[in-house]
């Protein structure tokens, strides 16, 4: 039984790694296009842009508008509270990064958007995020609202039923998107990156 459990864990981690590699590759391709456009002064076509205006629901039950992010860089990550490894790991990493940034962290918004709104109610999301830095903003919404936001960030996610059909998990893009104060993609973070590399990217984002 222990052997089977270990094997399943390795398979699960390998699957997450594959999703992460795919998402990082896609994000870096789009990031390269954004940087080239910035250098040449041209505008990216709508299909190549990352992010768009949105409204979701915060952990306090009130509506949260992306307009409140204007003028301040932000990091946005999509996941779900029942995630066994990548999501809590990423949130813990962001918690540590915010602590390392000191007072500069107050100049950064960090958003966690649930791709599992059926289970992740505002109340449940609030309880889950209480284990991490209180500055991390938890957001949820209707299925259509979440799908619209995810699509604008080129985020992949899907529901995966359990074998017996009594439960499910979620596959999803594992990257953190780093957006500047004007809402343009600057870089991404991956849980596979060295801690020093992630920290440097956040410092660079805040210095722009």
């Amino acid at each position: 039984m222990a052997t089977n459990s270990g094997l399943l864990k390795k398979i699960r981690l390998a699957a997450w790694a594959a999703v992460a590699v795919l998402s990082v590759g896609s994000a870096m391709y789009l990031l390269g296009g954004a940087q080239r456009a910035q250098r040449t002064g041209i505008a990216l076509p709508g299909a190549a842009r990352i992010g768009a205006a949105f409204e979701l629901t915060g952990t306090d039950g009130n509506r949260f508008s992306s307009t409140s992010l204007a003028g301040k860089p932000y990091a946005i990550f999509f996941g779900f509270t029942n995630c066994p490894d990548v999501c809590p790991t990423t949130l813990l990493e962001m918690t540590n990064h915010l602590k390392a940034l000191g007072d500069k962290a107050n100049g950064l918004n960090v958003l966690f958007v649930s791709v599992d709104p059926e289970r992740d109610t505002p109340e449940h999301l609030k309880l889950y995020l209480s284990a991490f830095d209180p500055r991390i903003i938890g957001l949820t919404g209707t299925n259509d609202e979440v799908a619209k936001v995810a699509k604008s960030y080129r985020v992949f996610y899907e529901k995966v039923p359990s074998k017996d059909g009594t439960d499910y998990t979620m596959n999803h893009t594992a990257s953190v998107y780093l957006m500047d104060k004007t809402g343009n993609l600057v870089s991404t973070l991956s849980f596979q990156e060295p801690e020093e590399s992630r920290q440097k990217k956040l410092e660079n984002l805040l210095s722009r």
Side-chain angles (χ1 to χ4, degrees):
M1 182 66 70
T3 301
N4 289 339
S5 176
L7 178 59
L8 287 173
K9 183 176 181 180
K10 289 180 179 179
I11 292 173
R12 184 180 66 194
L13 291 175
W16 274 116
V19 171
V21 169
L22 178 61
S23 64
V24 169
S26 299
M28 291 308 294
Y29 175 79
L30 290 165
L31 175 59
Q35 290 173 330
R36 287 192 296 274
Q38 185 179 49
R39 287 197 301 269
T40 58
I42 63 173
L44 282 168
R49 295 175 189 153
I50 292 289
F54 66 83
E55 276 199 8
L56 291 170
T57 302
T59 55
D60 57 2
N62 295 323
R63 297 294 283 174
F64 179 94
S65 172
S66 59
T67 58
S68 65
L69 301 173
K72 193 173 178 179
Y74 64 95
I76 183 167
F77 173 65
F78 294 76
F80 66 115
T81 63
N82 278 15
C83 179
D85 33 44
V86 174
C87 299
T89 297
T90 299
L91 288 167
L92 178 60
E93 289 172 347
M94 290 305 300
T95 294
N96 293 336
H97 288 314
L98 289 170
K99 181 178 180 181
L101 286 169
D103 291 340
K104 291 188 293 184
N106 295 325
L108 176 71
N109 282 317
V110 180
L111 313 178
F112 177 69
V113 180
S114 173
V115 294
D116 185 16
E118 294 178 28
R119 292 185 294 200
D120 291 343
T121 62
E123 296 80 12
H124 184 69
L125 196 55
K126 181 178 181 178
L127 179 62
Y128 177 77
L129 289 176
S130 66
F132 306 102
D133 192 290
R135 289 169 290 192
I136 297 175
I137 301 168
L139 298 172
T140 187
T142 66
N143 285 324
D144 287 344
E145 288 172 342
V146 170
K148 183 178 179 181
V149 179
K151 183 178 180 181
S152 76
Y153 282 89
R154 306 297 184 266
V155 167
F156 162 83
Y157 69 96
E158 65 175 356
K159 182 184 291 188
V160 181
S162 60
K163 287 185 177 180
D164 60 10
T166 61
D167 199 5
Y168 66 90
T169 187
M170 304 291 295
N171 285 340
H172 64 92
T173 298
S175 295
V176 179
Y177 293 85
L178 303 183
M179 315 296 289
D180 68 16
K181 59 185 178 181
T182 62
N184 291 316
L185 177 69
V186 173
S187 189
T188 61
L189 303 180
S190 167
F191 70 93
Q192 295 178 311
E193 283 185 86
E195 180 181 355
E196 297 78 8
S197 174
R198 298 192 307 268
Q199 189 71 30
K200 185 64 176 177
K201 286 182 179 180
L202 289 169
E203 291 172 356
N204 288 340
L205 177 67
L206 286 166
S207 68
R208 292 174 65 89

